[in-house]
Amino acid sequence: MKISLERAKQICTKSQYGEASWWELLQLNVYLLFSKECSDFSAKNKKLTSLCERAGLDTLSEDEKDDMKKKLKEHF
């Protein structure tokens, strides 16, 4: 069940967005028990996610992006 640091970081990021499977979460939690570096990464990632959620950041929808691209092409 051993995973690499890079894989642990990927799973950590996926878990922040609710995209990690239960198996990936189990692997990550076991890895976090033994890796200080990954534990630090996980803590920072959680903090960043929390800050972004509290900031109320919004993104453009795909339609809004397409409209903006069309307007830019027409203008230039």
Side-chain angles (χ1 to χ4, degrees):
M1 183 171 19
K2 184 171 167 107
I3 58 175
S4 69
L5 175 60
E6 288 305 312
R7 180 68 180 135
K9 287 180 179 181
Q10 290 172 347
I11 296 170
C12 181
T13 301
K14 285 175 65 174
S15 72
Q16 296 299 309
Y17 298 102
E19 298 173 353
S21 69
W22 69 269
W23 176 246
E24 288 173 324
L25 292 174
L26 177 64
Q27 290 175 315
L28 178 62
N29 286 323
V30 169
Y31 190 87
L32 291 176
L33 290 173
F34 300 104
S35 172
K36 174 151 175 42
E37 182 180 1
C38 195
S39 295
D40 292 343
F41 175 84
S42 180
K44 289 176 185 177
N45 201 20
K46 286 178 184 175
K47 186 174 183 178
L48 177 61
T49 300
S50 174
L51 289 171
C52 289
E53 288 172 354
R54 283 192 289 157
L57 301 175
D58 294 322
T59 59
L60 297 174
S61 69
E62 289 301 317
D63 290 338
E64 291 171 322
K65 289 178 189 177
D66 290 340
D67 289 342
M68 188 179 287
K69 286 177 186 177
K70 287 177 187 175
K71 288 179 183 176
L72 286 170
K73 284 181 181 177
E74 290 172 2
H75 200 347
F76 293 102

